[in-house]
Amino acid sequence: MAQRFGASSLHQRDSRSALFEGYTGDTSRRPVSASPRPGGYGYGGYGAPNGTTGLGISGSGPQGGFRSATPNRRGQYSDAVLNELESQNDAHVEGILGKVKVLKDLTVAIGDEIRDSSALAEKMNDSFDSTRLRLRGTMNRMLLMAQRTGVGWKVWLIFFAAVFMLFTYVWLF
């Protein structure tokens, strides 16, 4: 990986290094125990499938494990470890940004669908309302016609039912 900060040493005073400023490596506060595995605190034996470690380094331990990411005596991490962690963070940020973009596109599509569905429902409501008004007008005119002829509305209903049955019979048989 190319050196990200050039030849300057100003990058060592950033917030990543400030996290470990108070660390002196003083072991008088807690007892030091031996590592349970030969080779230190790395995850020995669990290298990546291509034979490199998780930090992009070939395994140098007896079992080809990860290089430990522990600070030195002054509590400072090496530039390689910090750069690798930063590149991993960048990769994770890119993945999260991609997921956020997909979610945003999905949300916009859902909003468009809701607007289209609302417009369709409003149009259907207007159509049903106009149909209701037409049917009411037709029924009122039919009742008015029945009153003028002197024949009751029940007779007209029977007449139209008979005509409908005649058309149905002719259509089916």
Side-chain angles (χ1 to χ4, degrees), residues 73-100:
R73 292 179 188 178
R74 294 184 298 178
Q76 298 171 340
Y77 285 93
S78 69
D79 285 341
V81 170
L82 292 175
N83 287 335
E84 181 63 31
L85 291 173
E86 188 168 346
S87 67
Q88 288 176 3
N89 282 344
D90 290 343
H92 288 299
V93 166
E94 288 174 11
I96 290 171
L97 288 176
K99 290 176 184 178
V100 167

Side-chain angles (χ1 to χ4, degrees), residues 62-73:
Q63 298 169 335
F66 289 99
R67 179 177 64 185
S68 66
T70 55
N72 62 12
R73 292 179 188 178

Side-chain angles (χ1 to χ4, degrees), residues 110-126:
I110 289 171
D112 292 342
E113 185 65 30
I114 288 172
R115 275 190 291 280
D116 292 344
S117 297
S118 296
L120 178 64
E122 189 174 329
K123 191 183 296 184
M124 286 176 59
N125 190 24
D126 293 343

Side-chain angles (χ1 to χ4, degrees), residues 17-166:
S17 298
L19 180 64
F20 304 105
E21 276 183 24
Y23 181 75
T24 60
D26 185 18
T27 58
S28 63
R29 286 188 271 170
R30 61 184 176 96
V32 176
S33 60
S35 175
R37 294 183 161 256
Y41 286 102
Y43 297 97
Y46 298 106
N50 61 2
T52 62
T53 65
L55 298 174
I57 314 161
S58 295
S60 59
Q63 298 169 335
F66 289 99
R67 179 177 64 185
S68 66
T70 55
N72 62 12
R73 292 179 188 178
R74 294 184 298 178
Q76 298 171 340
Y77 285 93
S78 69
D79 285 341
V81 170
L82 292 175
N83 287 335
E84 181 63 31
L85 291 173
E86 188 168 346
S87 67
Q88 288 176 3
N89 282 344
D90 290 343
H92 288 299
V93 166
E94 288 174 11
I96 290 171
L97 288 176
K99 290 176 184 178
V100 167
K101 183 180 180 339
V102 168
L103 287 174
K104 180 184 175 189
D105 293 343
L106 185 64
T107 306
V108 168
I110 289 171
D112 292 342
E113 185 65 30
I114 288 172
R115 275 190 291 280
D116 292 344
S117 297
S118 296
L120 178 64
E122 189 174 329
K123 191 183 296 184
M124 286 176 59
N125 190 24
D126 293 343
S127 176
F128 283 134
D129 193 39
S130 66
T131 304
R132 182 181 58 85
L133 291 175
R134 277 187 188 172
L135 284 175
R136 181 189 296 169
T138 303
M139 186 67 180
N140 287 340
R141 283 191 301 266
M142 196 166 104
L143 288 175
L144 189 62
M145 181 186 71
Q147 287 174 354
R148 284 185 192 161
T149 59
V151 180
W153 66 272
K154 293 179 184 175
V155 175
W156 283 107
L157 186 63
I158 292 172
F159 172 73
F160 283 121
V163 170
F164 178 74
M165 289 171 53
L166 178 68

